[in-house]
Amino acid sequence: MKKLFVISGSSGVGKGTVIKGFLERNPRFSLSVSCTTRPKRPGEADGVNYFFLSRDEFETAVNNGEFLEWAEFAGNLYGTRRQNIESGENIILEIDTQGALQVKSKMGANVCLIFICPPSVEDLESRLRGRGTEDEETIQKRLDFVKNELELAKQFDYQIVNDSIENAIAQLKKIVEGEQ
Ligand code: 5GP
């Protein structure tokens, strides 16, 4: 079985842009479409960005054992259907850190965990403060969340510092090629 690549990253770190750039240049890879209970955002389509499920539908799928992993993130449920990874090769999962660690503990050596980090917590902090849109409590909460994620990221196989999108895409390509 080929490696399954699982990518997580701090929110606001640009991991979506890095993954999109990688996929455009490496079209043999495809992104697994997750299920979520969060409402659809403008421009999103069912079956393309996510499969949008009600909480009831999601819970039924959990009880039926349909998910390889699932987690609650910011009050909504997110999960990867087992069939998504059974059906193909060269699959990338873009999921949160809790989900990524679940996949690793279930599939072990067949999984490669990659974490995309901000250049530094100080950098993120000064960007948040510079924006001036969040109050002190919100800033502290976001920073605590990021610090906690960076702790979990130590259990990942690789960390990519997103100091420039091009660099980050090149690093991701190198990791994937080295692992295959
Ligand atoms: P968003 O709502 O912004 O699309 O995603 C919020 C978070 O949920 C992101 O960190 C994203 O990586 C994570 N996520 C998306 N799909 C899944 C999934 O299937 N499982 C888990 N555990 N997290 C997911």
Side-chain angles (χ1 to χ4, degrees):
M1 191 187 168
K2 282 210 176 172
K3 281 252 156 116
L4 176 65
F5 294 94
V6 181
I7 305 180
S8 302
S10 312
S11 57
V13 78
K15 80 187 142 158
T17 316
V18 174
I19 295 173
K20 192 163 166 270
F22 173 81
L23 291 172
E24 279 165 6
R25 281 160 235 194
N26 300 275
R28 71 194 163 93
F29 283 90
S30 60
L31 199 57
S32 153
V33 180
S34 297
C35 297
T36 185
T37 62
R38 88 147 157 72
K40 209 186 275 174
R41 293 181 190 140
E44 288 185 333
D46 195 38
V48 177
N49 306 88
Y50 283 103
F51 292 101
F52 294 94
L53 306 184
S54 67
R55 216 166 232 268
D56 268 1
E57 288 170 331
F58 196 101
E59 280 163 4
T60 303
V62 171
N63 292 334
N64 290 340
E66 287 179 34
F67 291 121
L68 169 67
E69 62 75 35
W70 65 276
E72 181 152 6
F73 185 92
N76 296 303
L77 305 177
Y78 294 83
T80 308
R81 282 208 173 102
R82 285 180 197 283
Q83 67 183 45
N84 285 22
I85 61 141
E86 282 162 3
S87 58
E89 291 183 337
N90 300 326
I91 312 266
I92 291 188
L93 305 186
E94 189 221 311
I95 63 177
D96 84 320
T97 42
Q98 314 162 63
L101 293 170
Q102 283 179 50
V103 175
K104 186 80 180 182
S105 73
K106 285 184 186 160
M107 297 179 60
N110 278 328
V111 175
C112 175
L113 297 189
I114 302 166
F115 191 87
I116 302 184
C117 328
S120 72
V121 176
E122 291 73 26
D123 177 83
L124 187 69
E125 183 168 1
S126 68
R127 270 196 288 141
L128 283 177
R129 289 193 198 288
R131 276 204 319 220
T133 47
E134 274 94 5
D135 58 29
E136 186 56 32
E137 197 190 330
T138 311
I139 291 177
Q140 280 310 329
K141 262 198 196 150
R142 272 200 68 172
L143 290 174
D144 285 349
F145 184 76
V146 169
K147 283 178 194 160
N148 188 32
E149 277 194 323
L150 291 175
E151 260 318 291
L152 289 177
K154 291 183 183 159
Q155 298 173 56
F156 279 50
D157 300 300
Y158 297 93
Q159 302 187 357
I160 295 175
V161 177
N162 189 16
D163 47 4
S164 100
I165 298 285
E166 284 308 315
N167 266 344
I169 295 172
Q171 279 188 62
L172 181 54
K173 187 168 190 295
K174 213 168 143 195
I175 292 168
V176 168
E177 284 170 357
E179 286 285 334
Q180 279 194 323

